[in-house]
Amino acid sequence: MKSIYLFVALLLCILGTAIIMLWVPAESIWWAYVAIGLAVILLWLMWRSVLLPARMVMKGMDLIKAQDFNNRLLNVHEPDSDKIVDLFNQMIDKLRNERLHNREQESFLKLLIEASPMGVMMLDYDDRITMMNDSFLRLTGIKDIESVKGKTMNEVPSELARKMQEVNLGENRIIRNGDVKRYRCYHLSFIQTGFQRQFYLLESLTEEVMKAERQAYEKVIRIISHEVNNTMGGVRSVLDTIHSVCEEDDLREVIESCDNRCNEMCNFISSYADVVRVPKPVMKETDLVQMLRTMSPFLQETLPENIRLTFTPTEEKSVVSIDLSLIQQVIVNIVKNAVESIQSEGFIDISIEKLGKETQLTISNNGAPITEEVSRNLFSPFFTTKREGRGLGLTLISEILNLHNARFSLKTGADLITRFTIIFH
């Protein structure tokens, strides 16, 4: 448009000058100068009223296109044009302030997400991972965001991340991953640029739930233990008195049977009380390989002939800070459970592997697979699948390993091999 106006103005000037110079006599040539002056004035007016405002508008459009909100347009000293310039500058100021506010909010939100103890994972419009904070990486065991960025949830190498897909959009649910840990997962969404984007929140409930459970069953066990032991103590005292004065053999045999049953009842209750009296671990630097080599002969002696025990140590140094006696008790209980799960011939394999700064101890067996239903209840206080079981083994194991701040899981893989995995820091 600027070129057209300029061309028209110049054409008018030339035509006007030519006409004047052809038809006006020489003595009146001053009219030519008047025509040229008018043309110059017309050019100036067009430049000031049309070309300069149009130039300012084009410059403003370029600024918006480049998203440069730091520069402003200058007034052209033409009332109507200056109104447009002022309006444009106000719009630029609002856009600049809005962008600054959005950047501040975005920066604050990022800091909030990174500092949050709750895991956060964002998906794009195609349900592919775009962001995870450090808490989410830690809770799921994923090494870094780059290893999973752009992947779907099914492609993430984390069983917990895959279980999160079971939570429907807009809901929250408590999920487990084959160990004592519990998580609350939120599956939510928000609108961005008119489209829905999904995200997940993952919150660890393990400490709170375990603390509440422990307080509950400690109180119940103390009350039951107190009442049963006091009652059985009085009953046994009366039985001893009757036994000492009784002369009939049949009656004495009945009294002895009752006394034995009372003693077994006391031992039964004491076994539950032992769970809540797990001593605080005394940490000491210990070589896991050497510890298991020392334990192997003892473990081998406890196995029936139909079960083979193997030990696969790591070639790297495997020194960890543990309470030796407590961890040995954990290993004995795990092996005992593995033996009870093997119906006929089988094997138990103990292996140690270094995972960076961590050490992984795995005890595998080919016993009866753990079903999904059983997996959801593993490590729950006093849960058992045995007809005469008390549910103390896994409860005691989880108590000791939690005192060591170790990560652990018990699950059956696709190869039908059941693995108890413990990771020491």
Side-chain angles (χ1 to χ4, degrees), residues 1-3 64 93 96 100 107 120 260 298 322 398 407:
M1 294 298 292
K2 294 187 294 183
S3 301
I64 293 178
D93 290 339
R96 183 180 65 250
L100 181 61
S107 177
V120 181
N260 289 335
F298 165 75
I322 59 173
S398 65
R407 304 199 308 272

Side-chain angles (χ1 to χ4, degrees), residues 10 80 266 326:
L10 290 175
D80 293 334
C266 291
L326 290 179

Side-chain angles (χ1 to χ4, degrees), residues 168-267:
N168 297 323
L169 181 62
E171 295 182 353
N172 70 84
R173 186 188 305 175
I174 296 177
I175 58 178
R176 296 183 60 173
N177 191 31
D179 56 18
V180 71
K181 296 180 180 178
R182 294 176 175 85
Y183 307 89
R184 182 177 295 280
C185 176
Y186 298 82
H187 185 188
L188 305 170
S189 67
F190 65 99
I191 301 299
Q192 185 178 35
T193 63
F195 296 93
Q196 178 178 267
R197 287 189 61 181
Q198 300 181 39
F199 67 98
Y200 288 88
L201 301 178
L202 191 63
E203 178 184 13
S204 176
L205 301 178
T206 304
E207 294 182 3
E208 292 80 359
V209 172
M210 289 185 61
K211 183 178 180 180
E213 287 181 346
R214 185 180 179 86
Q215 290 176 344
Y217 68 68
E218 278 184 354
K219 184 175 181 180
V220 171
I221 288 175
R222 282 197 299 267
I223 293 174
I224 294 175
S225 178
H226 179 268
E227 294 299 326
V228 170
N229 286 332
N230 285 346
T231 302
M232 291 299 103
V235 171
R236 294 189 69 187
S237 177
V238 172
L239 290 175
D240 287 340
T241 302
I242 296 175
H243 185 273
S244 63
V245 299
C246 182
E247 297 180 354
E248 298 180 13
D249 293 339
D250 292 343
L251 184 58
R252 290 170 65 89
E253 185 177 347
V254 172
I255 293 173
E256 290 174 0
S257 176
C258 292
D259 184 65
N260 289 335
R261 186 69 190 98
C262 290
N263 185 51
E264 291 174 1
M265 177 63 72
C266 291
N267 292 335

Side-chain angles (χ1 to χ4, degrees), residues 354-372:
K354 289 292 292 183
L355 303 175
K357 296 182 180 180
E358 299 178 326
T359 302
Q360 178 175 295
L361 169 63
T362 305
I363 303 178
S364 311
N365 71 84
N366 64 336
I370 298 175
T371 64
E372 184 67 25

Side-chain angles (χ1 to χ4, degrees), residues 4 8 25 49 53 76 78 82 89 96 112 125 133-134 203 224 245 260 268 277 296 302-303 317 344 346 363 374 421:
I4 294 176
V8 172
S49 302
V76 296
E78 200 279 325
D82 286 346
N89 287 336
R96 183 180 65 250
L112 208 60
Y125 303 114
N133 67 348
D134 291 339
E203 178 184 13
I224 294 175
V245 299
N260 289 335
F268 178 82
R277 289 199 296 263
S296 291
T302 62
L303 300 182
K317 193 174 182 181
S344 56
I363 303 178
V374 172
T421 304

